[in-house]
Amino acid sequence: MNKKLYSKLVFELSHANRSGHGLPDYNYGESDWSLPENLNRKSSLNLPEIDESSAVRHYTNSSNNNFGVDTGFYPLGSCTMKYNPKLNEAMVPRAGVAPLHPMQPADSVQGALRIYHTLATYLAEIGGMSEFTLNPFAGAHGEYTGLMVIKAYHQSRGDEARTKVIVPDSAHGTNPASAAMAGFEIIEVKSLPDGTVDVEDLKSKLDFTVAAVMLTNPNTAGIFERSIPEISDAVHEAGALLYYDGANLNPMLGVARPGDMGFDVMHINLHKTFSTPHGGGGPGAGPVGVRKGLERFLPNPRVYEKADGSLDIEMEEDAFGRVSAWLGNFTVYIKALAYILTLGSDGLAQVGPLATLNANYIMQSLKDLYLLPIDRPCKHEFVFDGLCDKSTGVTTLNIAKALLDYGFHAPTIYFPLLFHESLMIEPTETESLETLDAFIEVMRKIANDASQNPDVIKNAPYETPIAHPDEDEAALNPIVKYSDL
Ligand SMILES: *Cc1c(COP(=O)(O)O)cnc(C)c1O
């Protein structure tokens, strides 16, 4: 492949008056309709002019520069990047919802409403909740929605003093951000050395000003929180509600239900756990479930089943408001429903145990070379704190970069914030033993190379189009337009 030619931007391939299409002549005569003068373009649109073959090659080769679960192992902890069966993608056009208009009368869209209602019912069963709304567009959006439900609940009881939300220091960054968006003050609770929530610290912060406690279980260190019943009792005794961050529900599917543990409100990321690929920024969905008694506060519009078995859309008076114009990201629901139906309850119940087995296999195979700060059986993911051999100066960033030369995506790095050199690995349930072994072999080689010749690892990667971009500059001043170059 001619790397030089194919690494160009499409604008650099452009030649004036070259074209890759042939449209029929425009022969509808003159139109008397024209745009107001001030809306007319002052100069011509600067589109690349390129022949058809070059355009096809440009985009095909650009896509080959990408890395995804379809090209290689992607052990990204927390933001689960897992196998998303193509079958579920294929169901989307077949479901026939694309031509529907959101304002069509309910009796003309019974099939679409059935997809919504069936999925919401299954999620309620999976989460042990009474009712789900599918409307939120993402995990963080779900957190915001759940917290607004909690706020509406307290307000409905005249309990206006509850202005705080308690969040563990190990929480995903969206938790405190969503609580702030919902207008709450954030109180941080510490983690113990074993990665679990410090229950005593938590209890000392509970009082009549706390609206909710947000927890992730298994937590972001991949450790199952064993004190949930005790926490749940204390939270409810203080009059607060318990929120479950179920972005990564895969280790729990069919094994344990947040509702049975005492959680009142939860969200699920369909784009992590239920078969929607993510990583490009969407579309996703963050459905929110609530226990009995909180249903009426869920956002509008609501899909419900009438006495005659047909479905309708309603606006509930007690709802805290809306989070989406209509019923959310519909195509994502189709994939989630197809995933649940193809796996069935037996298949779903295998997801967690297999994800747990795979994670523990990698953890045990590497813990002699990588520092394991919490040496306890993990769930679907676990965290190393860099290499055991700290004398080399090789960092987690160096290890992550070195992995790229071997065709593996890097794990999540520098999260959770519990450790300085966090390397968070999540293999997911669908990887073969051979893939896990190949990853382990490479991780061992990197650790050994780091001890013998640290510079080899510090200077990696050697095979990628770019190696060491200025990451701060890229985040603070990204160049996103050709004209900015
Ligand atoms: C991904 C994730 C979120 C946020 O989900 P988004 O869809 O990215 O907003 C929240 N909590 C945890 C634990 C996550 O992994």
Side-chain angles (χ1 to χ4, degrees):
M1 183 169 114
N2 184 339
K3 276 204 172 158
K4 209 154 175 275
L5 185 62
Y6 292 124
S7 63
K8 285 186 171 176
L9 296 174
V10 71
F11 290 94
E12 295 169 312
L13 300 173
S14 178
H15 286 274
N17 302 322
R18 196 169 287 178
S19 155
H21 65 75
L23 291 177
D25 279 345
Y26 171 74
N27 55 6
Y28 295 103
E30 281 301 308
S31 159
D32 55 6
W33 187 87
S34 61
L35 282 174
E37 189 51 39
N38 63 338
L39 294 182
N40 272 335
R41 199 175 285 288
K42 303 282 180 292
S43 58
S44 69
L45 198 56
N46 181 25
L47 291 176
E49 298 175 84
I50 178 171
D51 61 275
E52 183 180 351
S53 300
S54 299
V56 170
R57 285 175 197 151
H58 174 73
Y59 286 106
T60 305
N61 288 307
S62 296
S63 76
N64 286 342
N65 280 335
N66 204 358
F67 189 96
V69 282
D70 287 348
T71 46
F73 185 49
Y74 207 130
L76 195 73
S78 187
C79 290
T80 313
M81 295 296 282
K82 65 176 202 166
Y83 161 68
N84 298 293
K86 299 292 172 283
L87 173 70
N88 304 337
E89 295 290 336
M91 287 303 113
V92 173
R94 297 181 68 127
V97 300
L100 303 183
H101 192 280
M103 287 184 80
Q104 270 179 247
D107 62 6
S108 72
V109 291
Q110 284 295 303
L113 296 182
R114 185 59 64 189
I115 289 172
Y116 186 106
H117 191 261
T118 306
L119 177 61
T121 307
Y122 285 166
L123 294 181
E125 176 63 28
I126 288 169
M129 293 284 152
S130 170
E131 192 176 325
F132 258 87
T133 175
L134 308 183
N135 301 7
F137 291 115
H141 200 198
E143 291 165 20
Y144 170 81
T145 302
L147 290 164
M148 291 302 284
V149 166
I150 290 172
K151 193 180 231 184
Y153 160 77
H154 289 309
Q155 279 174 353
S156 76
R157 305 167 77 236
D159 198 351
E160 305 280 347
R162 298 189 182 270
T163 54
K164 297 176 187 162
V165 167
I166 295 181
V167 181
D169 58 2
S170 61
H172 193 272
T174 50
N175 287 193
S178 304
M181 286 288 288
F184 290 106
E185 185 190 335
I186 291 104
I187 307 294
E188 196 174 87
V189 61
K190 289 199 294 276
S191 297
L192 294 169
D194 73 353
T196 59
V197 171
D198 184 337
V199 181
E200 292 317 311
D201 187 34
L202 174 62
K203 281 184 180 168
S204 75
K205 289 171 172 152
L206 283 171
D207 63 19
F208 67 96
T209 64
V210 174
V213 176
M214 300 180 84
L215 289 182
T216 309
N217 193 29
N219 62 29
T220 57
I223 301 294
F224 192 82
E225 297 279 358
R226 286 184 287 200
S227 310
I228 297 293
E230 189 187 346
I231 293 174
S232 165
D233 286 349
V235 168
H236 291 129
E237 213 160 280
L241 297 184
L242 195 54
Y243 185 93
Y244 181 83
D245 178 342
N248 308 296
L249 198 68
N250 45 335
M252 306 275 274
L253 285 181
V255 177
R257 308 194 309 169
D260 298 337
M261 296 179 197
F263 286 95
D264 304 290
V265 181
M266 68 178 289
H267 83 270
I268 298 174
N269 279 23
L270 297 186
H271 51 289
K272 285 181 187 169
T273 305
F274 289 96
S275 187
T276 278
H278 75 293
V288 170
V290 295
R291 68 152 165 76
K292 212 162 184 43
L294 295 173
E295 301 93 331
R296 63 198 171 99
F297 304 113
L298 284 168
N300 284 326
R302 310 270 296 273
V303 176
Y304 77 106
E305 193 157 41
K306 295 201 285 195
D308 66 1
S310 66
L311 295 165
D312 205 353
I313 301 170
E314 67 176 346
M315 295 294 174
E316 163 74 55
E317 216 176 281
D318 291 333
F320 77 81
R322 286 173 178 244
V323 292
S324 55
W326 311 103
L327 292 169
N329 272 335
F330 227 94
T331 57
V332 177
Y333 310 158
I334 299 164
K335 288 183 257 191
L337 186 58
Y339 179 77
I340 292 171
L341 289 172
T342 46
L343 283 185
S345 52
D346 291 347
L348 287 180
Q350 285 182 27
V351 169
L354 285 176
T356 301
L357 179 65
N358 288 355
N360 280 280
Y361 179 69
I362 294 180
M363 185 177 87
Q364 291 300 331
S365 306
L366 292 175
K367 72 175 189 182
D368 56 327
L369 294 174
Y370 290 85
L371 188 64
L372 184 62
I374 306 170
D375 195 357
R376 253 178 68 180
C378 64
K379 291 297 164 200
H380 58 308
E381 64 195 4
F382 63 94
V383 185
F384 285 133
D385 189 7
L387 288 163
C388 291
D389 181 0
K390 297 284 183 216
S391 70
T392 65
V394 169
T395 64
T396 278
L397 179 63
N398 299 146
I399 297 162
K401 295 255 183 200
L403 272 169
L404 306 181
D405 280 339
Y406 294 96
F408 294 119
H409 196 281
T412 296
I413 59 173
Y414 300 107
F415 178 81
L417 307 178
L418 297 174
F419 316 109
H420 286 299
E421 292 290 330
S422 286
L423 188 67
M424 186 188 205
I425 298 175
E426 174 174 7
T428 79
E429 68 278 8
T430 45
E431 296 297 339
S432 70
L433 181 60
E434 290 73 23
T435 301
L436 301 184
D437 282 338
F439 177 71
I440 290 165
E441 192 185 320
V442 165
M443 287 289 281
R444 297 192 69 82
K445 178 165 171 22
I446 290 172
N448 289 324
D449 286 352
S451 290
Q452 276 151 30
N453 191 355
D455 283 345
V456 170
I457 302 301
K458 286 181 188 168
N459 293 329
Y462 302 94
E463 307 284 336
T464 53
I466 55 169
H468 302 106
D470 181 338
E471 298 189 13
D472 292 337
E473 184 64 16
L476 294 171
N477 300 308
I479 298 169
V480 292
K481 287 211 316 268
Y482 177 63
S483 57
D484 290 346
L485 273 178

